[in-house]
C-alpha cells in the first residue's frame, strides 16, 4: 500500500521534528475499539472438552499494551484514527499473503474480537548540545514501531498465527499489496530469528518504492489468545534490527 507506507514515512518525519511523537493532529482519543466481531468457538477446543478461550475486551487490552513508562528511550503515543485502516481496505494479489499485509498496516491477522494500538518512536541519543543539521537528519531516520494487540475468541489466535506462518513461506518471493487505490510491490519477505511469547515469527520485508528498496521489519508473537504485532520503519528507508526493546517490553506486560 504505497499510500500507507508513504503516510507512515511522512509520520515518522513529523514525529522526529515535532517532539518525536505521532504526526497526526487532534486531541488524545482512545483507539482501542471493540469491533463487536467474535469468532465462533473452535472445534479443536470443543473436541478436547476445554472451555473455549475468551477474548479480552478493548479496555483490558488497552491496559496491557506498551506505554511510555515501559519504554525508556522511546516516545510512546496512542494511534490516532488517521493512522488506522480497516481490514477490508487491505488486499493482496496472493490471498495467503494478506496476514503479512495486515501486519504491515497496523492490523492484527484474522478476526480479532478487540484490539489496541500504540506507536513507539526510538529517541536518537544526543550529547545534550543544541541539535545540529546532522542530528535533525538522524532524527528523521529514527525507527518507528507500530504496535498492535489483538485478542481472539476460541482458537482464533492460534489460527491467525498459523496463517502468518504460511504467509511467510508462500510470500517469500514477494507479492503485491493493494490499498488506497494503489498497488505496491513487496519484493522479498525474509525470515528473521526472534523469541517471545508462546510462539513468534519475524521477517525483513523489502518494498519497491519507485525503484528503490524500502526495508522494514515485521514481528508477531502469540501470548495465549492474544497476538502482538510490530511493524518497524524508518524515513531513512531501512531498519537494520528488530525492535527488541519494544518486543521485550510488550512480552513482559502480557506475561
Amino acid at each position: 500500500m504505497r499510500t500507507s507506507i508513504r503516510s507512515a514515512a511522512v509520520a515518522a518525519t513529523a514525529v522526529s521534528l515535532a517532539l518525536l511523537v505521532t504526526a497526526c493532529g487532534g486531541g488524545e482519543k482512545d483507539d482501542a475499539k471493540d469491533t463487536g466481531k467474535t469468532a465462533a468457538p473452535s472445534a479443536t477446543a470443543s473436541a478436547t472438552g476445554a472451555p473455549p478461550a475468551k477474548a479480552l475486551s478493548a479496555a483490558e487490552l488497552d491496559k496491557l499494551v506498551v506505554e511510555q513508562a515501559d519504554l525508556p528511550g522511546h516516545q510512546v503515543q496512542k494511534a490516532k484514527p488517521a493512522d488506522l485502516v480497516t481490514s477490508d481496505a487491505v488486499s493482496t494479489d496472493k490471498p495467503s499473503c494478506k496476514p503479512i499485509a495486515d501486519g504491515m498496516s497496523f492490523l492484527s491477522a484474522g478476526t480479532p474480537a478487540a484490539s489496541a494500538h500504540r506507536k513507539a518512536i526510538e529517541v536518537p541519543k544526543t550529547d545534550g548540545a543544541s541539535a545540529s543539521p546532522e542530528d535533525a537528519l538522524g532524527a528523521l531516520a529514527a525507527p518507528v514501531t507500530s504496535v498492535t494487540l489483538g485478542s481472539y475468541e476460541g482458537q482464533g489466535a492460534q489460527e491467525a498465527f498459523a496463517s502468518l506462518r504460511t504467509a511467510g513461506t508462500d510470500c517469500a518471493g514477494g507479492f503485491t499489496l493493494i490499498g488506497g487505490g494503489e498497488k505496491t510491490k513487496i519484493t522479498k519477505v525474509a525470515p528473521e530469528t526472534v523469541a517471545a511469547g508462546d510462539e513468534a515469527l519475524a521477517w525483513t520485508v523489502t518494498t519497491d518504492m519507485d525503484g528503490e528498496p524500502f526495508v522494514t521489519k515485521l514481528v508477531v508473537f502469540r501470548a495465549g489468545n492474544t497476538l502482538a504485532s510490530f511493524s518497524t520503519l524508518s524515513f531513512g528507508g531501512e531498519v537494520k534490527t528488530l525492535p527488541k526493546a519494544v518486543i521485550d517490553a510488550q512480552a513482559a506486560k502480557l506475561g
Side-chain angles (χ1 to χ4, degrees):
M1 183 186 303
R2 184 165 301 172
T3 300
S4 295
I5 294 172
R6 283 179 171 167
S7 296
V10 170
T13 306
V15 163
S16 301
L17 289 176
L19 304 179
L20 290 172
V21 294
T22 53
C24 293
E28 283 293 317
K29 186 174 182 179
D30 193 339
D31 67 281
K33 297 180 181 178
D34 193 326
T35 64
K37 298 178 181 178
T38 57
S42 167
T44 301
S46 301
T48 61
K54 180 174 176 56
L56 297 174
S57 68
E60 290 171 320
L61 278 182
D62 208 45
K63 293 178 181 178
L64 290 172
V65 71
V66 287
E67 298 288 5
Q68 184 65 62
D70 306 313
L71 281 169
H74 293 72
Q75 287 284 347
V76 179
Q77 289 272 315
K78 289 185 178 181
K80 306 300 189 296
D83 295 318
L84 306 176
V85 297
T86 58
S87 181
D88 59 5
V90 178
S91 62
T92 57
D93 63 335
K94 298 178 183 178
S96 63
C97 299
K98 181 168 166 54
I100 296 284
D102 286 344
M104 296 171 65
S105 305
F106 231 153
L107 294 166
S108 292
T111 309
S115 59
H117 309 83
R118 294 293 185 272
K119 277 188 177 180
I121 304 96
E122 187 175 320
V123 180
K125 295 177 181 176
T126 66
D127 58 8
S130 298
S132 66
E134 290 77 13
D135 290 334
L137 287 174
L140 292 179
V144 180
T145 298
S146 300
V147 182
T148 304
L149 295 187
S151 188
Y152 301 73
E153 298 283 357
Q155 294 291 305
Q158 290 87 336
E159 292 163 0
F161 191 87
S163 74
L164 282 154
R165 190 184 301 279
T166 298
T169 299
D170 290 355
C171 310
F175 61 96
T176 299
L177 195 157
I178 306 162
E182 296 191 53
K183 296 181 179 181
T184 296
K185 179 62 179 176
I186 309 301
T187 58
K188 187 177 182 181
V189 179
E192 293 263 11
T193 300
V194 64
D198 298 321
E199 51 186 346
L201 293 165
W203 302 272
T204 293
V205 180
T206 304
T207 302
D208 180 356
M209 293 292 288
D210 298 324
E212 296 294 330
F214 189 91
V215 177
T216 63
K217 302 290 185 180
L218 179 62
V219 180
V220 182
F221 74 77
R222 182 181 65 81
N225 63 331
T226 298
L227 289 189
S229 306
F230 311 82
S231 179
T232 305
L233 60 83
S234 163
F235 187 64
E238 180 175 5
V239 179
K240 295 182 179 179
T241 61
L242 299 179
K244 187 176 186 303
V246 184
I247 295 167
D248 290 348
Q250 186 60 78
K253 291 199 77 169
L254 288 175

